[in-house]
């Protein structure tokens, strides 16, 4: 009797990440730590940074281009390592692609709502705050939690221009932290993936125990979900980085923040 021959294609498709710049590396580094053998692609849209100051139409346009690029790259899943696009455009595109798209805000809020806080402070970009998605998502799961949101539009530029330790930057950070601390929150969420780079400074002006990086919950969810969908692979752990402009600037920041070694960074033109 002829045996049925089953061929399983092990394609080693990458998990793709995107953000406006180096911010998403704060998420990427956490997922890579728990899934070191996956192949990865990272796209930093440095040409259009900061996303927090863009209109919903602009964000939709840039994100579609990146997602189309990920189709060409055969991505098996996409991580929106960007609070701004998760808040503003995720709902519009979530069912339109052949891969699962993971949005940081919606996934993290479910967990935040379970943590028994009574007043959560959200530090985020203008676009994220204006969307009110943090507030809506947390309240969807727990209407008793009060949610305070403060936009910190200067902070992404401070990170991307490597000016974290300049006195003027510290003043700008203190101003916003002081503003949110007046509300006496019992948790302070870093609602932009660039902000974890500012953790030490924010802690100095607030309270050590308050800070929450939502990426911690986000990456755990992604790992479990990929596992459930049987999408995890024992690949080589290859990583490829793409930017839309200024590869040298990205390399410099990525080296400093993420410990990125000499890796080829490919610049994509429009
Ligand atoms: N890091 C992104 C976020 O989490 C985008 C920040 C920006 O470019 O304004 O929102």
């Amino acid at each position: 009797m002829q045996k049925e021959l089953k061929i399983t294609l092990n394609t080693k498709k990458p998990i793709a990440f995107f953000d406006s710049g180096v911010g998403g590396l704060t998420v990427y580094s956490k997922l890579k730590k728990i899934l070191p053998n996956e192949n990865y692609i990272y796209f930093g849209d440095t040409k259009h940074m900061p996303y927090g100051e863009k209109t919903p139409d602009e964000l939709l346009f840039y994100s579609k281009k990146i997602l189309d690029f990920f189709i060409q790259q055969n991505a098996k899943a996409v991580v929106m390592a960007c609070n701004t696009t998760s808040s503003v455009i995720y709902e519009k595109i979530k069912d339109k692609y052949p891969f699962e798209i993971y949005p940081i805000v919606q996934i993290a809020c479910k967990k935040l709502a379970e943590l028994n806080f009574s007043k959560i402070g959200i530090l985020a970009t203008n676009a994220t705050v204006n969307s009110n998605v943090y507030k809506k998502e947390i309240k969807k799961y727990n209407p008793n939690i009060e949610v305070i949101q403060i936009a910190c539009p200067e902070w992404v530029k401070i990170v991307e221009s490597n000016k974290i330790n300049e006195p003027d930057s510290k003043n700008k950070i203190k101003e916003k932290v002081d503003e949110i601390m007046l509300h006496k929150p019992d948790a302070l969420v870093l609602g932009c993936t660039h902000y974890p780079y500012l953790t030490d400074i924010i802690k100095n002006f607030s309270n050590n125990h308050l800070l929450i990086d939502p990426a911690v919950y986000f990456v755990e969810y992604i790992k479990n979900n990929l596992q459930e969908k049987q999408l995890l692979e024992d690949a080589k752990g290859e990583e490829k980085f793409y930017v839309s402009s200024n590869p040298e600037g990205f390399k410099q920041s990525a080296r400093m923040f993420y410990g990125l070694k000499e890796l080829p960074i490919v610049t994509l033109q429009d």
Side-chain angles (χ1 to χ4, degrees), residues 1-38:
M1 201 175 83
Q2 207 182 339
K3 268 195 178 168
E4 194 188 327
L5 186 65
K6 258 197 177 165
I7 301 172
T8 315
L9 283 178
N10 202 351
T11 48
K12 317 283 191 214
K13 292 176 172 184
I15 300 172
F17 275 69
F18 81 93
D19 180 43
S20 63
V22 291
L25 292 173
T26 60
V27 184
Y28 172 60
S29 56
K30 290 184 183 71
L31 189 69
K32 193 170 159 67
K33 207 172 197 170
I34 55 174
L35 292 177
N37 298 329
E38 290 293 325

Side-chain angles (χ1 to χ4, degrees), residues 19-20 23-24 49-53 81-84 125 128 156 191-194:
D19 180 43
S20 63
M49 186 274 302
Y51 272 7
E53 303 302 306
C82 173
N83 291 259
T84 305
T125 65
T128 301
V156 168
C192 167
T193 54
H194 282 76

Side-chain angles (χ1 to χ4, degrees), residues 22 49-50 152-176 192 194-195 197-199 201-202 205 253 256-257:
V22 291
M49 186 274 302
C152 314
E154 302 287 335
W155 292 12
V156 168
K157 286 176 240 158
I158 291 174
V159 171
E160 288 283 343
S161 58
N162 271 331
K163 290 189 175 149
I164 290 182
N165 290 313
E166 293 191 3
D168 184 49
S169 305
K170 288 187 179 167
N171 286 338
K172 284 179 175 147
I173 296 166
K174 182 178 184 308
E175 191 188 314
K176 295 295 175 179
C192 167
H194 282 76
Y195 299 174
Y197 297 126
L198 306 173
T199 296
I201 303 171
I202 300 170
F205 302 129
S253 306
M256 187 169 115
F257 294 132

Side-chain angles (χ1 to χ4, degrees), residues 39-220:
N39 289 336
Y40 293 99
I41 313 177
Y42 184 99
F43 190 96
D45 195 5
T46 42
K47 187 169 180 181
H48 304 116
M49 186 274 302
Y51 272 7
E53 303 302 306
K54 299 290 183 293
T55 64
D57 281 349
E58 286 170 324
L59 291 170
L60 192 60
F61 182 77
Y62 304 143
S63 302
K64 278 181 171 172
K65 286 213 161 199
I66 298 167
L67 292 165
D68 288 345
F69 171 65
F70 289 159
I71 294 180
Q72 286 167 26
Q73 297 295 309
N74 238 340
K76 65 180 172 190
V78 171
V79 179
M80 257 192 193
C82 173
N83 291 259
T84 305
T85 52
S86 301
S87 301
V88 181
I89 60 115
Y90 169 71
E91 284 299 325
K92 293 178 191 146
I93 51 97
K94 63 179 182 189
D95 301 321
K96 301 209 165 119
Y97 288 86
F99 31 60
E100 179 83 20
I101 302 176
Y102 296 103
I104 184 165
V105 177
Q106 288 81 346
I107 290 171
C109 282
K110 189 163 193 286
K111 184 71 192 176
L112 288 171
E114 286 167 8
L115 295 177
N116 272 332
F117 293 117
S118 53
K119 199 189 270 184
I120 300 184
I122 310 287
L123 299 162
T125 65
N126 264 326
T128 301
V129 168
N130 291 339
S131 76
N132 263 323
V133 170
Y134 260 103
K135 202 177 233 174
K136 283 183 209 147
E137 287 290 317
I138 292 174
K139 285 186 172 287
K140 181 165 100 188
Y141 300 109
N142 187 343
N144 298 323
I145 300 179
E146 195 179 333
V147 182
I148 316 290
Q149 306 179 90
I150 301 277
C152 314
E154 302 287 335
W155 292 12
V156 168
K157 286 176 240 158
I158 291 174
V159 171
E160 288 283 343
S161 58
N162 271 331
K163 290 189 175 149
I164 290 182
N165 290 313
E166 293 191 3
D168 184 49
S169 305
K170 288 187 179 167
N171 286 338
K172 284 179 175 147
I173 296 166
K174 182 178 184 308
E175 191 188 314
K176 295 295 175 179
V177 177
D178 285 351
E179 196 178 330
I180 204 153
M181 290 305 286
L182 285 176
H183 297 272
K184 301 195 186 334
D186 51 5
L188 214 47
V189 174
L190 302 173
C192 167
T193 54
H194 282 76
Y195 299 174
Y197 297 126
L198 306 173
T199 296
D200 288 342
I201 303 171
I202 300 170
K203 269 183 184 169
N204 274 342
F205 302 129
S206 56
N207 180 331
N208 242 347
H209 314 293
L210 291 181
L211 291 203
I212 293 182
D213 180 352
V216 175
Y217 309 121
F218 185 42
V219 296
E220 275 305 322

